[in-house]
Amino acid sequence: MDVTLSVIKADIGGWVGHSVTHPDTLRRAGELMAEAKLQGHVIDYRVMNCGDDLQLIITHSHGEESKVVHGLAWDVFLECTEVARSLKLHGAGQDLLSDSFAGNVRGMGPGVAEMTFEERQAETIVVFMADKTASGAWNLPLYRMFADPFNTAGLVIAPNLHCGFSFEVHDVYEGKRIVFSAPEDLYDMLVYLGSPGRFAVKSVWHRDSRQVAASASTQRLSLIAGRYVGKDDPVMAVRCQGTFPAVGEVLEPFAYVNIVAGWMRGSHHGPLMPVGFDDARCTRFDGPPRVIGAGFQLAEGILIGPCDMLGDVAFDTARRKALEIADTLRSMGPFEPHRLSLDAMEYTTMPEVSERLASRFEPINAG
Ligand code: F6R
Ligand code: MG
Ligand code: MG
């Protein structure tokens, strides 16, 4: 039987400021999801948070983009927004960009990563959730997991991984997509993956079996809203073991520090720090950006977990390095490359400033 895993997330209000999700909103989400499970709408669920984002990890049999599941998630976010409003949390309902639900949360603010597959004898999955960063932050880790033999030994030495993986990449500005096959398209693919502000990996597939291996959220809030409204704070789900990279190969990219966009006001680069669940709390300069990894085994769609994968001491060195990089970048204040480039600022505050100052610019050779 096919099972669908849907990871749907939204920032519906922060406590304190944009630091974390309040326990009362998590509790309310849990109550509503428990009710939905009792009524048989979903097989299982977990309510989690990374920083100020609330994630619903749901297993069900309705397939992707299902009205039932997306509608449920939308209702949960609306109810949790009410809780956030009653506590006067910061930015209550900030990611819900529309007043009316039209059957699917895509394009309405929440981030979605979904995959449908036949559950294997042992179905191992890691769900990654990030805060204070943009869609595209997964490009580098996904490249390492599924295309880099220095990261994933299995690409070289496991016969069932040797065929490689294909990558579905979205141009989030133009609304176009392209599929690359690794290893033969690697150099072409990296031209695009290396620009995560515009190109983001949506999904990864095993080339022989055509089984889905990974799925990521790629919504760009600022592009949907046409102005800066908050961070994408993406999620992704990765299947592991067997014909997919081992859990350790999937976690390995996070042992190295990836510098991402999205820190303070969505306008700064910062290190994506791997942390345990209890440290998914954004503080310094509203960050630094962080990522958690929730490991699960599936048993007939029941989520056995989460296991806190990045909380392990094996990632302490990455954390220390991330904090050192944070110091270096912070010392640059409003200067690039800590602050995003002018191009990226075009989608935030830059147009307002340039319009206001337009008349003060004059040709250099005026006199
Ligand atoms: C939000 C974030 C924060 C905010 C900043 C200003 O995810 O990263 O850095 O951008 O705290 O927030 P507002 O404009 O809500 O006061
Ligand atoms: Mg927030
Ligand atoms: Mg957030």
Side-chain angles (χ1 to χ4, degrees), residues 11-14 17-19 52-53 90-91 94-95 131-132 229-231 233:
D11 176 348
I12 45 82
H18 291 278
S19 311
D52 61 359
D53 289 272
H90 189 68
Q94 73 164 50
D95 282 1
D131 191 29
K132 307 298 181 257
V229 280
K231 235 79 68 267
D233 301 335

Side-chain angles (χ1 to χ4, degrees), residues 289-335:
R290 31 199 99 193
V291 53
I292 58 173
F296 298 95
Q297 292 293 144
L298 282 195
E300 309 305 328
I302 300 291
L303 290 155
I304 312 299
C307 180
D308 186 354
M309 307 307 289
L310 296 178
D312 186 62
V313 291
F315 296 92
D316 282 355
T317 306
R319 288 188 256 283
R320 188 176 43 74
K321 284 191 180 155
L323 293 175
E324 279 164 13
I325 291 169
D327 280 343
T328 305
L329 288 172
R330 281 301 303 125
S331 72
M332 299 186 68
F335 284 78

